[in-house]
Amino acid sequence: MATITATEAGTAPPPSPRRRSKLRLRNTLIGWSFILPNFIGFGVLTLVPIVILFYMAFTNWNVFGKADFIGLANFTRLMGDGSFRTSVVNTLYYSVMHIPLTIVVSLGLALLLNNKLRGVAFFRTAAFFPYITSIVAIAVVWNLLFSPEYGPINEFLKFIGIQNPPGWLTSPQWAMPAVVIVSTWRDMGYYMILFLAGLQTVPRELHEAARMDGANTWQRFTNVTLPSLRPTMFFVTVMLTINSFKIFDLILVMTDGGPGQATLVMSQFIYRKGFEESQFGYASAAAVVLFFMCIIVTIIQFLWNKRGNK
């Protein structure tokens, strides 16, 4: 019987080892051509500045002249700096208030707007709109709303019987709560979208089964919705924590850290020391402390989430 070749059988012969090597090299180069721009951008704009930051944290440099290596002197100075300690406390204070409040409000909005309501698309857009609005515009409007003498908020409080309403942004006790209110109002739309995406993945069959078993609305929420939202909740919590620790622009425009140092946070402390006082080595040391605070809290959250998934 005659031997039938691959060409006669209608199939192409297997590629030679040399041709396979060329194809593999070609595919590798194509893959690198897609990811290399991102790696270059990350290296130039993120990795290299971080390495320089860590080096500068151990130097005394004011832009002019040579950066003198001084070891841990900047960190020792930070520990005795009352303004730095105040900024750390204010940052934690802001985060402790902002994170749970934003989660509750954004999740509540997501649950409300996840239903089939008339005009639901409009309300979703309206809730998300503050997140893309200019920080300066938001600060100016809310500063007018919080005005102690002529602001609509205090006028309303007086109308309902509160004779001595808070001074808000002019009061050391109420300035930070006022910033938290504005920050939550601005951020709730973004995290609402994330929760809405998570709610879309919750199987309706679970809610129907729980309803048939006699579970009320609260029981379905705690036993069906919340467990299903665990991955989304974890992501939102991590992002909120990092963004809360890095809060800067809103406070800079609304209060500039005042009154006094009532709203001075770590990011603004770094900005003042670096760009206003030209103490770049000292500011870099404070930035390193903030960096490790974010890393430690994020690792704790990852471990807590991993433990909860077991």
Side-chain angles (χ1 to χ4, degrees):
M1 181 180 294
T3 303
I4 300 177
T5 63
T7 304
E8 294 172 346
T11 59
S16 63
R18 182 177 180 181
R19 181 174 175 80
R20 285 199 301 268
S21 177
K22 288 184 177 180
L23 288 174
R24 190 179 299 111
L25 177 61
R26 178 188 175 188
N27 292 335
T28 301
L29 291 176
I30 291 175
W32 275 105
S33 68
F34 280 105
I35 64 176
L36 194 58
N38 184 59
F39 276 141
I40 294 176
F42 172 78
V44 173
L45 301 176
T46 302
L47 186 60
V48 171
I50 289 178
V51 174
I52 295 175
L53 170 72
F54 273 82
Y55 171 74
M56 289 174 56
F58 298 93
T59 65
N60 181 23
W61 185 51
N62 62 352
V63 181
F64 305 102
K66 182 181 177 182
D68 299 322
F69 186 82
I70 57 175
L72 297 174
N74 283 330
F75 296 95
T76 304
R77 179 183 168 190
L78 280 176
M79 297 302 103
D81 192 331
S83 296
F84 177 73
R85 293 198 300 268
T86 299
S87 70
V88 173
V89 172
N90 287 342
T91 302
L92 296 175
Y93 177 35
Y94 170 86
S95 301
V96 168
M97 289 197 300
H98 179 245
I99 294 171
L101 183 60
T102 304
I103 289 177
V104 171
V105 174
S106 57
L107 179 57
L109 277 175
L111 291 170
L112 180 62
L113 298 179
N114 190 45
N115 299 315
K116 294 181 179 180
L117 304 173
R118 180 176 298 180
V120 66
F122 167 79
F123 290 109
R124 289 178 181 178
T125 304
F128 183 74
F129 186 75
Y131 187 76
I132 59 175
T133 304
S134 168
I135 287 288
V136 176
I138 290 174
V140 169
V141 172
W142 278 96
N143 279 351
L144 294 174
L145 294 175
F146 280 127
S147 175
E149 298 180 0
Y150 309 107
I153 294 178
N154 276 5
E155 291 297 325
F156 173 76
L157 294 178
K158 292 177 182 178
F159 175 77
I160 62 176
I162 300 178
Q163 299 300 323
N164 296 311
W168 299 114
L169 299 176
T170 62
S171 168
Q173 291 76 28
W174 286 96
M176 187 63 81
V179 172
V180 171
I181 291 172
V182 179
S183 182
T184 301
W185 174 81
R186 178 180 180 268
D187 294 343
M188 65 181 183
Y190 173 72
Y191 295 106
M192 176 202 69
I193 296 296
L194 297 180
F195 279 124
L196 275 173
L199 289 172
Q200 301 298 321
T201 64
V202 180
R204 293 187 177 276
E205 293 79 6
L206 295 179
H207 283 282
E208 294 296 333
R211 186 180 292 107
M212 294 181 63
D213 288 340
N216 55 33
T217 302
W218 176 252
Q219 290 172 331
R220 293 197 301 272
F221 172 73
T222 56
N223 295 300
V224 177
T225 303
L226 278 184
S228 301
L229 283 178
R230 189 178 187 88
T232 305
M233 184 70 73
F234 170 67
F235 175 76
V236 167
T237 305
V238 171
M239 294 300 297
L240 260 175
T241 302
I242 295 175
N243 291 333
S244 297
F245 274 60
K246 298 190 305 178
I247 181 66
F248 171 71
D249 46 7
L250 186 62
I251 288 181
L252 179 67
V253 180
M254 286 191 67
T255 64
D256 194 24
Q261 293 184 342
T263 57
L264 177 67
V265 291
M266 295 183 68
S267 297
Q268 191 175 12
F269 177 87
I270 295 168
Y271 173 81
R272 287 182 177 181
K273 295 300 179 181
F275 294 98
E276 293 182 1
E277 302 178 17
S278 297
Q279 301 181 38
F280 281 91
Y282 190 51
S284 298
V288 169
V289 174
L290 177 59
F291 173 80
F292 278 108
M293 285 177 61
C294 293
I295 290 294
I296 292 172
V297 173
T298 303
I299 291 175
I300 293 173
Q301 290 174 324
F302 269 91
L303 295 176
W304 183 269
N305 183 69
K306 184 178 180 180
R307 178 183 176 186
N309 288 332
K310 290 183 178 179

